């Protein structure tokens, strides 16, 4: 991984032939997500996002990775589900001796840090990247929406709810939708690694633990004008909005590796990797709308948690006179 990069996506931006999309998705040779694949220690990774196939690589802190390899051509040991390239991630292994590190980081972004950024009322666990029930629906609304849509009833069917019931559902919602502006703090992060290994008479045993946590901010403001085809066949302005966005991202990742080598020709390891990335965003756009003939304002609050949990049990055995033969005993 590249020095100074906080996650795998940032590290790969320095590799020729790769394109970073949205700060988290890597496209190989400019091809879209359907032409790329991601492997972790040789096993295919599913995407934690239901609407996309690509794996967001900003989930993986560089602190837990041993290496990242980009392969742009097919080989027999690779799964045949990519046309552009495959990204091979390898996590850190058990060290041969005691290892202990701790790292602190801070960053200032021009145009963002120490400016007034758009935000809203957040929950007590948001800094950990966990909602913790702060945005949960009231029990009555949750129970009513599980069985049928929240729509008003009519005389032709027994579906829906009365206007009074719908009003009661609305009044039970927490009134925390108002946006605000607060001073944006600098980005910061902390990471730590602990590991120890013992070697005796050709046998070894050890463990490695790594964890990373970081918070980043982004503030943006811009104007955008939409056009439509007029009666004379020429393009003319239809809507003109001023956009303002304030976003905070929380990254939390950890890895635990337990390994042993009962014989100098055999070894196995148990690897557990947890990667989380949470995006919290407040956005406003306002301006004249030709369709309604007046100025409008639209507020959007967006909170997205993504998590990837991977557990692997791998082993290898070297047969004298042959090259290394790797056997994946179990992985899920």
């Amino acid at each position: 991984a590249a020095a100074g990069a906080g996650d795998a996506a940032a590290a790969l931006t320095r590799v020729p032939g790769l394109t970073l999309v949205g700060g988290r998705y890597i496209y190989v040779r400019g091809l879209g997500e359907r032409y790329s694949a991601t492997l972790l220690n040789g096993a295919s990774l599913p995407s934690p996002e239901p609407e996309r196939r690509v794996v967001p690589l900003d989930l993986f802190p560089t602190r837990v990775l041993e290496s990242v390899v980009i392969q742009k051509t097919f080989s027999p040991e690779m799964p045949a589900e990519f046309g552009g390239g495959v990204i091979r991630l390898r996590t850190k292994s058990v060290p041969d001796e005691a290892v202990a590190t701790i790292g602190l980081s801070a960053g200032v972004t021009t145009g963002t840090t120490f400016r007034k950024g758009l935000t809203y009322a957040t929950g007590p666990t948001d800094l950990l990247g966990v909602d913790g029930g702060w945005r949960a629906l009231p029990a009555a609304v949750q129970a009513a929406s599980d069985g049928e849509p929240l729509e008003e009833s009519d005389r032709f069917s027994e579906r829906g709810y009365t206007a009074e019931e719908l009003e009661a559902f609305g009044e039970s919602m927490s009134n925390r939708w108002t946006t605000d502006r607060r001073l944006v703090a600098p980005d910061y992060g902390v990471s730590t690694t602990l590991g120890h290994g013992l070697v005796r008479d050709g046998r070894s045993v050890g463990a490695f633990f790594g964890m990373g946590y970081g918070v980043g901010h982004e503030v943006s403001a811009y104007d955008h004008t939409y056009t439509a085809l007029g009666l004379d066949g020429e393009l003319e302005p239809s809507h003109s909005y001023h956009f303002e966005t304030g976003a905070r991202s929380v990254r939390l990742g950890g890895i635990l590796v337990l390994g042993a080598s009962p014989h100098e020709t055999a070894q196995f390891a148990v690897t557990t990797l947890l990667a989380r990335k949470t995006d919290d965003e407040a956005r406003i756009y306002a301006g004249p709308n030709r369709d309604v003939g007046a100025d409008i304002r639209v507020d959007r609050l967006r909170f997205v948690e993504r998590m990837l949990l991977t557990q692997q049990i791998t082993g290898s055995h070297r047969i004298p006179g042959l090259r290394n033969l790797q056997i994946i005993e179990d992985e899920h």
Side-chain angles (χ1 to χ4, degrees):
D7 54 66
L12 289 175
T13 57
R14 309 179 189 182
V15 179
L18 302 184
T19 304
L20 180 64
V21 179
R24 59 175 63 106
Y25 307 112
I26 290 291
Y27 290 174
V28 182
R29 294 189 293 192
L31 299 176
E33 60 189 65
R34 62 180 297 185
Y35 299 102
S36 301
T38 304
L39 304 181
L40 180 67
N41 296 332
S44 297
L45 279 180
S47 175
E49 302 191 13
E51 298 179 352
R52 310 193 67 156
R53 182 181 182 274
V54 66
V55 177
L57 295 182
D58 61 339
L59 286 175
F60 303 95
T62 54
R63 182 68 64 175
V64 305
L65 295 176
E66 182 72 31
S67 63
V68 182
V69 177
I70 307 299
Q71 183 169 331
K72 300 180 181 180
T73 58
F74 179 77
S75 58
E77 74 275 11
M78 292 291 104
E81 61 173 5
F82 69 91
V86 59
I87 302 171
R88 299 163 57 186
L89 308 176
R90 178 170 293 279
T91 58
K92 289 186 178 294
S93 57
V94 176
D96 295 332
E97 55 186 16
V99 175
T101 65
I102 185 170
L104 301 174
S105 64
V108 176
T109 304
T110 304
T112 295
T113 310
F114 303 127
R115 285 186 55 190
K116 289 283 187 177
L118 200 64
T119 184
Y120 64 100
T122 56
T125 60
D126 281 11
L127 273 180
L128 298 177
V130 179
D131 172 67
W134 178 258
R135 298 166 181 82
L137 290 173
V141 177
Q142 182 68 53
S145 59
D146 282 344
E148 58 181 328
L150 291 179
E151 58 185 9
E152 190 172 359
S153 60
D154 55 53
R155 67 180 66 180
F156 304 106
S157 67
E158 297 181 355
R159 296 182 308 172
Y161 300 90
T162 65
E164 292 76 14
E165 290 174 325
L166 292 176
E167 182 179 357
F169 290 151
E171 292 175 350
S172 68
M173 303 285 286
S174 299
N175 189 16
R176 295 194 292 257
W177 316 112
T178 304
T179 57
D180 194 9
R181 287 175 175 81
R182 301 176 189 169
L183 195 66
V184 178
D187 300 345
Y188 60 91
V190 60
S191 61
T192 182
T193 58
L194 296 172
H196 191 50
L198 298 175
V199 180
R200 180 176 298 177
D201 300 330
R203 302 176 181 180
S204 64
V205 63
F208 173 81
F209 171 76
M211 185 188 72
Y213 169 79
V215 177
H217 303 85
E218 182 179 357
V219 173
S220 64
Y222 60 93
D223 296 318
H224 188 85
T225 299
Y226 298 86
T227 58
L229 194 63
L231 296 177
D232 57 355
E234 299 292 334
L235 290 177
E236 58 184 35
S238 58
H239 318 309
S240 182
Y241 300 136
H242 176 73
F243 285 82
E244 185 175 354
T245 303
R248 177 178 63 186
S249 62
V250 179
R251 184 177 65 248
L252 178 64
I255 184 174
L256 176 63
V257 182
L258 304 175
S261 178
H263 191 269
E264 60 181 7
T265 62
Q267 60 182 7
F268 70 90
V270 180
T271 304
T272 301
L273 174 69
L274 173 66
R276 288 183 57 90
K277 179 72 182 299
T278 301
D279 293 323
D280 193 4
E281 178 188 281
R283 188 187 74 173
I284 292 176
Y285 68 86
N289 183 290
R290 188 179 66 175
D291 295 338
V292 299
D295 288 356
I296 67 170
R297 169 172 164 160
V298 177
D299 294 26
R300 185 184 75 172
L301 309 180
R302 182 172 175 265
F303 186 87
V304 180
E305 295 182 40
R306 300 188 304 276
M307 185 180 77
L308 183 64
L309 175 63
T310 302
Q311 294 178 299
Q312 295 179 328
I313 302 177
T314 59
S316 64
H317 178 62
R318 187 175 69 253
I319 301 176
L322 296 178
R323 294 184 177 180
N324 288 347
L325 175 64
Q326 184 175 12
I327 304 172
I328 299 179
E329 300 176 350
D330 181 29
E331 62 180 40
H332 61 280

